[in-house]
Amino acid sequence: MREDVSKVLENVGKVIIGKEEVLEKLLAGLLAGGHVLLEDVPGTGKTKMAKALSASLGVKFGRIQFTPDMLPADITGMHIYSRETERFEWKEGPVFTNVLLADEINRATPRTQAGLLECMEERQVTVDGETRKMEEPFFVIATQNPVETAGTFPLPEAQTDRFIMKLSMGLPDREEEIRILETYKDRDPLPWLRPEMSREELLSIKEEAEKIYVHPLINGYLADIALATRKQEKVVMGVSPRGTLALMRCAKARACMEGRSYVIPDDVKKLASAVLAHRLMFSFGRSRQEEAVKLMEDILAGVPVPVEDFSDSSEGSAHFLRRP
């Protein structure tokens, strides 16, 4: 892994113990220009991870605690009348930041959810006919509690599809729990984190990720995975082209993080479940994330993997290797 990315992950790892794989996927989602949905029970470190990531990247952090009575203007901002100037003045909402934690997004009404998702998609806010661009990078980490559903408004499939990944941190095992206790026995390490990267360096890496080469055989591999999701008996609606493009962007981001200038099949396989599982619509209604991930793993096991020198821009000859 390239040194600058490794330093960021190590820095976040001082606060978030034993979740290296989740951190790598989260950073890949950021570099891919997407947003991530974190679904997990309370107390697993979702908020702390978002804060640690923004602190390590040297960018602004914002947080919105969603409630049912929240309005879109509470997120985007509004014009407020000033008695001093006798005119309406613009007041920015909390969405104008770099890393935004949208905490318990499923507690907001569909109208408010749609307001945030519009900001995520368009990277701009339009209020009273005036459009304001979001500062880059703009990365939303939305969280929701899968256990407590009373008073919530579940995100429709069409809206969850707009998140480039859906991740779960999971509870720590015994060794990780002990490491957490040792780390936090004297003080919380979060306030002591120092940036390992500047905003300009982060944007430069994002640009590098966009230029990563994707071999035609990798494109074929991505298409085969997408087609396989659409042929499953349990699945009413498989992965859309948006999902395939998202997986390609994430694979390019991972290749960049690894210090490569080209994508290999392993980049695709490592991220496929996180990027595609939440996009599957099952015939028996909503499924748990674990079931969707298991199905994606079965699909990946059945799709032939191309074998080639993927750094070569020429198509050349290739053969396919089926995963054992």
Side-chain angles (χ1 to χ4, degrees):
M1 185 168 291
R2 53 188 291 169
E3 186 178 358
D4 48 4
V5 171
S6 181
K7 285 182 178 179
V8 169
L9 294 174
E10 287 176 10
N11 206 43
V12 180
K14 296 175 183 177
V15 175
I16 305 300
I17 309 300
K19 302 300 177 186
E20 291 80 7
E21 185 177 344
V22 176
L23 292 175
E24 288 181 20
K25 290 177 179 177
L26 192 69
L27 187 54
L30 190 160
L31 294 177
H35 309 280
V36 172
L37 179 62
L38 272 179
E39 185 176 84
D40 224 322
V41 295
T44 52
K46 300 184 292 294
T47 301
K48 196 172 286 289
M49 182 167 64
K51 289 182 176 180
L53 180 65
S54 63
S56 299
L57 294 174
V59 295
K60 293 183 292 185
F61 173 78
R63 176 180 178 177
I64 302 174
Q65 182 65 52
F66 282 92
T67 56
D69 60 348
M70 184 172 283
L71 298 174
D74 297 326
I75 299 171
T76 59
M78 65 187 81
H79 287 99
I80 298 177
Y81 183 75
S82 171
R83 296 180 63 181
E84 295 179 359
T85 61
E86 296 185 348
R87 58 188 299 179
F88 284 92
E89 296 180 353
W90 170 251
K91 181 176 175 58
E92 284 188 351
V95 77
F96 286 91
T97 188
N98 296 128
V99 175
L100 176 67
L101 178 67
D103 213 359
E104 295 188 290
I105 189 174
N106 56 333
R107 290 200 176 277
T109 61
R111 179 186 175 192
T112 305
Q113 292 174 2
L116 175 63
L117 291 166
E118 182 182 356
C119 298
M120 291 163 49
E121 188 76 12
E122 304 296 333
R123 297 181 184 271
Q124 64 183 28
V125 169
T126 302
V127 177
D128 297 334
E130 294 183 25
T131 299
R132 292 172 172 82
K133 294 286 186 181
M134 318 291 293
E135 182 185 77
E136 288 291 340
F138 177 58
F139 181 52
V140 175
I141 302 174
T143 73
Q144 59 182 14
N145 180 358
V147 178
E148 189 178 352
T149 57
T152 62
F153 302 87
L155 287 171
E157 280 80 358
Q159 293 187 357
T160 56
D161 188 58
R162 296 184 182 277
F163 287 94
I164 202 165
M165 289 188 202
K166 184 177 181 180
L167 301 175
S168 175
M169 296 183 68
L171 294 170
D173 57 27
R174 186 176 185 275
E175 287 71 22
E176 291 169 351
E177 194 93 43
I178 292 173
R179 287 171 57 198
I180 291 171
L181 293 170
E182 288 291 334
T183 302
Y184 285 83
K185 65 180 180 180
D186 296 323
R187 65 180 185 182
D188 184 347
L190 179 59
W192 305 93
L193 285 188
R194 294 292 177 265
E196 291 292 342
M197 186 180 292
S198 67
R199 173 178 170 271
E200 291 71 24
E201 289 171 328
L202 175 60
L203 293 176
S204 176
I205 295 174
K206 281 191 68 178
E207 288 183 10
E208 288 180 38
E210 292 173 0
K211 298 174 183 177
I212 295 295
Y213 174 70
V214 182
H215 195 282
L217 288 172
I218 295 293
N219 285 333
Y221 183 46
L222 290 164
D224 289 341
I225 293 172
L227 289 171
T229 66
R230 300 166 194 164
K231 295 178 180 178
Q232 301 299 310
E233 291 183 5
K234 299 179 181 178
V235 177
V236 174
M237 187 178 298
V239 173
S240 67
R242 178 193 288 159
T244 315
L245 288 168
L247 182 54
M248 181 183 70
R249 297 202 327 261
C250 287
K252 290 169 68 174
R254 185 179 186 275
C256 182
M257 290 168 62
E258 293 290 336
R260 274 182 279 104
S261 60
Y262 55 92
V263 174
I264 61 174
D266 200 48
D267 296 323
V268 177
K269 290 186 287 185
K270 289 284 187 181
L271 298 172
S273 294
V275 176
L276 301 182
H278 68 285
R279 304 173 194 270
L280 303 179
M281 190 178 297
F282 288 79
S283 56
F284 48 81
R286 287 180 177 268
S287 68
R288 296 201 309 270
Q289 178 72 356
E290 295 84 358
E291 295 172 349
V293 169
K294 177 63 170 63
L295 179 60
M296 276 307 309
E297 290 173 352
D298 293 341
I299 290 172
L300 289 171
V303 176
V305 181
V307 179
E308 175 63 90
D309 178 9
F310 298 103
S311 62
D312 187 359
S313 59
S314 61
E315 294 189 28
S317 60
H319 61 280
F320 287 81
L321 177 68
R322 187 173 295 277
R323 291 184 67 191

